[in-house]
């Protein structure tokens, strides 16, 4: 067998002998032969490609278990595994970016706008409702509204209903008389971890899970928690703004320019989620602070509403119905009039001046 010494193999692979010894210890690249007396390592020329692959994967930051898995696969499957790994890295990076923006905004607001004695006190006036729709045999949507917390969850899979209810129930601990603005990040992080654990208790597989979209009122701003394809909208001065981003395969294709929004609306896989709370690997939700003004109206809804009622129709209904309960009923009716193909979770809340 024509073997290379570790020095020659290091030179040919452009790796250091130290790196090769480390790969051997980590069981990522074993020498073809080890001298039983001297312990000197020898490598086969055929191992050059694997050595370079291991080095590249380590530079990507792939965990050791992932590198072993890639090295054991054929070229096509290895390529697919690397793409899947990098998609997860990008999703996690995006979540950390949003968290950094969230934290920076929170600290900047605390520094530049200290509480004033003459600050107008605001509160939420709200209504929540969940409807089975006209097609589904059971309702897996959960809608909740309280003094501080608004939430919608859209469960999926065999135990989707319990998963959605468990996730929302975990957040209800935040619906207290007072939520300190300075502690909102820690509170949200703890609540999301509790929601994730609650979903895991319902199911330990990716087949069951839930979306989760929630707004937490701190007394001065609204903190948004979002994962999945349920949505949050803001109606301000007659204009409707979507303040969440769908975590779906189709939305990713729109972001990449592979689909137009019009094509996405009719795509057969438009409900295929890229992120959700499930029994599988943990996924990080979006976290963000939203500025709040008196007169703002918020809508949280599952895709049973947003998927069948156009946004201009949603805007008109939110504008025409001044009472949150009337608005919720009108929106649910509109979804059912459009065929009601899915469950409908809906919360409408107005930010109003608190009663003296």
């Amino acid at each position: 067998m024509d073997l290379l010494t570790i020095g020659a193999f290091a030179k040919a692979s452009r790796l250091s002998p130290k790196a090769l010894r480390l790969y051997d210890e980590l069981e990522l690249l074993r020498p073809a032969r080890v001298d039983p007396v001297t312990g000197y390592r020898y490598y086969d020329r055929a191992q050059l490609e694997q050595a370079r692959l291991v080095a590249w994967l380590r530079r990507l930051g792939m965990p050791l278990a992932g590198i072993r898995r890639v090295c054991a696969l054929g070229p096509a499957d290895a390529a697919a595994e690397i793409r899947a790994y990098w998609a997860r890295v990008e999703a996690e990076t995006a979540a950390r970016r949003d968290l950094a923006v969230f934290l920076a905004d929170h600290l900047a607001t605390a520094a530049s706008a200290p509480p004033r004695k003459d600050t107008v006190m605001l509160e939420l006036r709200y209504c929540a409702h969940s409807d089975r729709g006209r097609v589904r045999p059971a309702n897996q949507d959960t809608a909740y509204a309280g003094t501080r917390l608004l939430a919608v969850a859209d469960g999926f899979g065999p135990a989707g209903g319990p998963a959605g209810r468990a996730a929302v129930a975990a957040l209800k601990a935040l619906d207290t008389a007072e939520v300190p603005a300075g502690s909102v990040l820690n509170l949200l992080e703890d609540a999301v971890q509790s929601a994730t654990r609650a979903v895991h208790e319902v199911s330990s597989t990716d087949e069951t899970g839930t979306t989760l979209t929630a707004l937490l009122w701190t007394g001065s701003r609204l903190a948004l928690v979002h994962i999945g394809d349920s949505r949050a909208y803001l109606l301000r001065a007659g204009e409707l703004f979507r303040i969440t981003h769908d975590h779906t395969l189709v939305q990713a294709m729109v972001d990449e320019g592979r689909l137009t929004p019009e094509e996405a609306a009719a795509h057969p896989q438009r409900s295929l989620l890229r992120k959700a709370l499930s029994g599988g690997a943990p996924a990080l939700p979006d976290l963000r602070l939203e500025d709040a003004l008196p007169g703002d109206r918020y809508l949280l809804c599952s895709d049973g509403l947003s998927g069948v009622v156009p946004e201009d129709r949603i805007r008109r209904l939110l504008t025409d119905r001044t009472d949150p309960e009337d608005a919720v009923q009108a929106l649910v009716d509109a979804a059912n009039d459009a065929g009601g193909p899915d469950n409908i979770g809906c919360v409408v809340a107005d930010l109003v001046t608190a009663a003296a």
Side-chain angles (χ1 to χ4, degrees), residues 39-317:
Y40 210 67
R41 296 170 174 87
Y42 296 88
Y43 293 83
D44 193 312
R45 292 181 183 277
Q47 293 180 283
L48 286 171
E49 185 174 351
Q50 184 179 1
R52 295 184 185 118
L53 176 60
V54 169
W56 291 332
L57 293 176
R58 283 180 59 81
R59 289 183 64 184
L60 281 179
M62 182 177 285
L64 299 182
I67 295 177
R68 292 191 187 98
R69 187 164 54 249
V70 169
C71 290
L73 297 173
D77 290 337
E81 184 70 22
I82 293 170
R83 291 191 185 98
Y85 165 74
W86 194 248
R88 292 192 296 272
V89 170
E90 289 183 326
E92 292 167 0
T93 301
R96 290 195 295 271
R97 177 199 62 213
D98 291 344
L99 181 58
V101 171
F102 179 95
L103 179 58
D105 286 350
H106 174 69
L107 294 175
T109 300
S112 63
R116 294 168 41 189
K117 293 182 179 180
D118 60 347
T119 299
V120 176
M121 298 300 294
L122 302 175
E123 64 183 13
L124 293 173
R125 186 178 61 175
Y126 49 81
C127 179
H129 181 64
S130 179
D131 190 90
R132 182 173 62 87
R134 295 187 171 177
V135 175
R136 297 294 176 88
N139 189 1
Q140 294 188 311
D141 281 8
T142 301
Y144 173 82
T147 305
R148 298 278 178 174
L149 179 70
L150 314 171
V152 164
D154 181 358
F156 59 85
R165 291 192 293 271
V168 173
L171 263 63
K172 286 183 182 180
L174 300 176
D175 201 9
T176 59
E178 183 177 357
V179 178
S183 304
V184 66
L185 268 177
N186 292 334
L187 289 171
L188 285 174
E189 183 180 10
D190 291 345
V192 169
Q193 289 179 359
S194 295
T196 301
R197 288 193 297 269
V199 172
H200 272 265
E201 290 175 2
V202 172
S203 175
S204 60
T205 71
D206 287 325
E207 295 179 358
T208 287
T210 184
T211 69
L212 182 64
T213 301
L215 287 168
L216 177 65
W217 173 240
T218 69
S220 58
R221 304 185 80 181
L222 282 158
L224 171 71
V225 179
H226 169 69
I227 187 167
D229 65 349
S230 294
R231 292 181 176 179
Y233 292 91
L234 165 65
L235 182 71
R236 175 178 288 172
E239 295 295 325
L240 186 68
F241 306 93
R242 175 150 60 104
I243 59 176
T244 53
H245 194 74
D246 292 346
H247 299 140
T248 60
L249 176 64
V250 167
Q251 182 62 57
M253 295 170 71
V254 172
D255 296 341
E256 295 166 2
R258 296 161 58 191
L259 286 178
T260 66
E262 293 74 21
E263 291 170 335
H267 197 282
Q269 292 182 309
R270 60 185 177 276
S271 297
L272 186 60
L273 295 173
R274 295 186 72 188
K275 287 204 304 184
L277 296 181
S278 71
L284 296 175
D286 296 341
L287 295 175
R288 191 169 66 251
L289 281 172
E290 294 291 327
D291 292 322
L293 298 175
D296 282 350
R297 167 167 279 191
Y298 292 88
L299 165 66
L300 276 63
C301 65
S302 64
D303 64 343
L305 172 63
S306 60
V308 297
V309 181
E311 288 189 359
D312 60 344
R313 174 72 170 153
I314 291 176
R315 183 190 63 80
R316 288 197 300 271
L317 291 173

Side-chain angles (χ1 to χ4, degrees), residues 314-354:
I314 291 176
R315 183 190 63 80
R316 288 197 300 271
L317 291 173
L318 287 173
T319 302
D320 294 344
R321 272 62 172 186
T322 58
D323 183 75
E325 185 174 356
D326 292 341
V328 166
Q329 190 58 57
L331 290 164
V332 171
D333 289 345
N336 281 323
D337 290 344
D342 200 353
N343 306 147
I344 308 155
C346 183
V347 175
V348 173
D350 296 334
L351 199 57
V352 300
T353 304

